[in-house]
Amino acid sequence: MDDVQVKQVLNTHHNTLENRGRLLVKCVDKPGIVSVLSTFLYEHECNIIESSQYSSNPENGMFFIRIAYHGDNLVAKAAQMEKDFEEVAHTHGMEYKFSYPAQRIRSAILVSQEPHCLIELLWEWQNGDLDTDIVVVISNHETARPMVESLGIPFHYIPANKEIRKQVEEEQIRLMEQYEVDLLILARYMQILTPGFVAHFENRIINIHHSFLPAFIGAGPYERAYERGVKLIGATSHYVTNNLDEGPIIEQDVERVDHRDDVTDLKKLGRQIERRVLARAVKWHLENRIIVEGNKTIVFH
């Protein structure tokens, strides 16, 4: 699929979403919250097309809900709806977010030498299965440049190591601002991010960890897994926080292995798991299916 065909797929998809909206709400649980929300949408001539909810405890727990809705001329009336909702949210102590699928999130991807997760994301994007615009790819290696530039996506090579980390991150932040990036995806980017960098993108950096966390944190997970004779290997995708590899988990998956599998086998299978776990996590973020609560996530599949 060439660049023109990709744009045609994305434009067709965009036109079908102009009258769609999503609403995420978090508040203390009490009777009538669903009624309040559905009444609000009804009064603004919107039809609920999908609704998922969860209560941590029906007696003074936290209530979480995701509503997808359709409304004629939504583009024209969305701003007024959001203004009207402020009073509802104040009355019921709601944290909330409106989003609109037609307003595509702008994503940047950071990658090092292993391209398998990047390739998966680019494939999903070309097919129209990731509702985002991939506006830039940044790498501390040149490996991925040909595949990225062949799709018309800007590629920036920034050598990185711990001695020049501050200068590297200053340049990365400059590029994030230049390309107006909303979401940053670490597709096997093998550099630790500083607290200052993470603070720029709270709950907007998604990482893939080559292990079923919290097991085998750090370097050489497959070698250590092999030495321990594990029977399951996996991958974890999570939001990045200042606690290394301990941010809110979005998605995990595993595969069964046995004594016949050597380190090479484990790495090959691990790459397959990493690809699909990261793609799912990114997709759910783009579809506004995730609410972060402390160091956990509520994910409405």
Side-chain angles (χ1 to χ4, degrees):
M1 188 180 294
D2 60 27
D3 189 39
V4 173
Q5 290 173 315
V6 169
K7 289 180 179 179
Q8 288 174 341
V9 170
L10 298 179
N11 289 336
T12 299
H13 185 57
H14 176 273
N15 293 335
T16 66
L17 299 176
E18 286 191 343
N19 290 322
R20 299 287 179 89
R22 298 169 184 149
L23 174 60
L24 290 176
V25 171
K26 174 172 68 174
C27 64
V28 174
D29 197 5
K30 61 181 179 181
I33 295 297
V34 174
S35 176
V36 167
L37 297 173
S38 58
T39 298
F40 173 84
L41 291 171
Y42 171 76
E43 290 175 344
H44 288 80
E45 300 180 326
C46 292
N47 182 40
I48 295 174
I49 56 178
E50 182 182 345
S51 180
S52 301
Q53 66 194 60
Y54 165 70
S55 174
S56 64
N57 189 324
E59 297 182 1
N60 300 316
M62 292 299 295
F63 180 77
F64 309 86
I65 189 168
R66 176 188 184 270
I67 298 174
Y69 59 91
H70 176 277
D72 291 337
N73 302 314
L74 187 59
V75 173
K77 65 185 184 183
Q80 186 60 50
M81 282 183 63
E82 292 189 30
K83 188 174 187 305
D84 294 344
F85 193 76
E86 291 177 3
E87 183 177 349
V88 175
H90 178 74
T91 300
H92 297 279
M94 296 175 175
E95 296 180 34
Y96 68 95
K97 178 184 178 182
F98 282 92
S99 60
Y100 306 95
Q103 297 177 1
R104 292 171 64 80
I105 289 174
R106 297 172 63 83
S107 297
I109 300 176
L110 265 62
V111 64
S112 290
Q113 284 185 295
E114 296 185 73
H116 55 282
C117 287
L118 170 65
I119 293 170
E120 184 76 14
L121 294 171
L122 294 176
W123 173 254
E124 294 283 332
W125 171 75
Q126 288 181 82
N127 286 338
D129 292 329
L130 286 182
D131 289 330
T132 187
D133 291 327
I134 300 176
V135 294
V136 64
V137 173
I138 301 169
S139 180
N140 55 332
H141 295 274
E142 289 278 10
T143 309
R145 181 185 291 276
M147 70 180 74
V148 171
E149 292 186 339
S150 69
L151 295 172
I153 300 171
F155 180 92
H156 290 265
Y157 166 59
I158 306 177
N161 57 61
K162 62 183 180 180
E163 283 75 26
I164 59 171
R165 186 165 291 153
K166 185 175 184 294
Q167 302 94 299
V168 169
E169 290 191 345
E170 287 175 351
E171 176 62 11
Q172 290 170 338
I173 291 172
R174 186 192 69 78
L175 288 172
M176 299 300 106
E177 294 172 348
Q178 175 185 332
Y179 288 98
E180 300 178 324
V181 169
D182 303 304
L183 174 66
L184 181 54
I185 306 165
L186 307 184
R188 299 290 280 130
Y189 181 66
M190 306 307 291
Q191 295 289 317
I192 296 174
L193 303 179
T194 68
F197 186 92
V198 173
H200 278 79
F201 302 95
E202 183 178 6
N203 294 331
R204 292 189 294 138
I205 306 176
I206 296 179
N207 188 31
I208 183 66
H209 192 279
H210 44 241
S211 178
F212 190 68
L213 293 177
F216 303 117
I217 295 174
Y222 293 112
E223 286 80 2
R224 287 185 288 141
Y226 177 73
E227 291 169 2
R228 287 290 306 277
V230 300
K231 306 308 179 193
L232 291 171
I233 63 168
T236 300
S237 186
H238 62 92
Y239 288 116
V240 174
T241 65
N242 290 328
N243 295 321
L244 181 63
D245 294 330
E246 294 185 12
I249 291 172
I250 304 170
E251 172 64 341
Q252 297 180 290
D253 204 353
V254 295
E255 290 283 355
R256 183 164 292 280
V257 296
D258 62 27
H259 57 276
R260 288 179 288 260
D261 296 301
D262 60 19
V263 172
T264 300
D265 296 325
L266 297 187
K267 288 183 176 181
K268 181 177 180 179
L269 185 56
R271 286 192 290 269
Q272 295 174 7
I273 308 171
E274 291 165 22
R275 284 163 31 203
R276 64 177 184 253
V277 168
L278 179 60
R280 283 200 295 255
V282 170
K283 183 178 178 66
W284 293 337
H285 178 96
L286 296 173
E287 294 178 353
N288 306 107
R289 295 186 178 276
I290 306 168
I291 299 178
V292 176
E293 173 67 359
N295 202 45
K296 297 181 178 181
T297 59
I298 287 81
V299 182
F300 296 111
H301 298 147

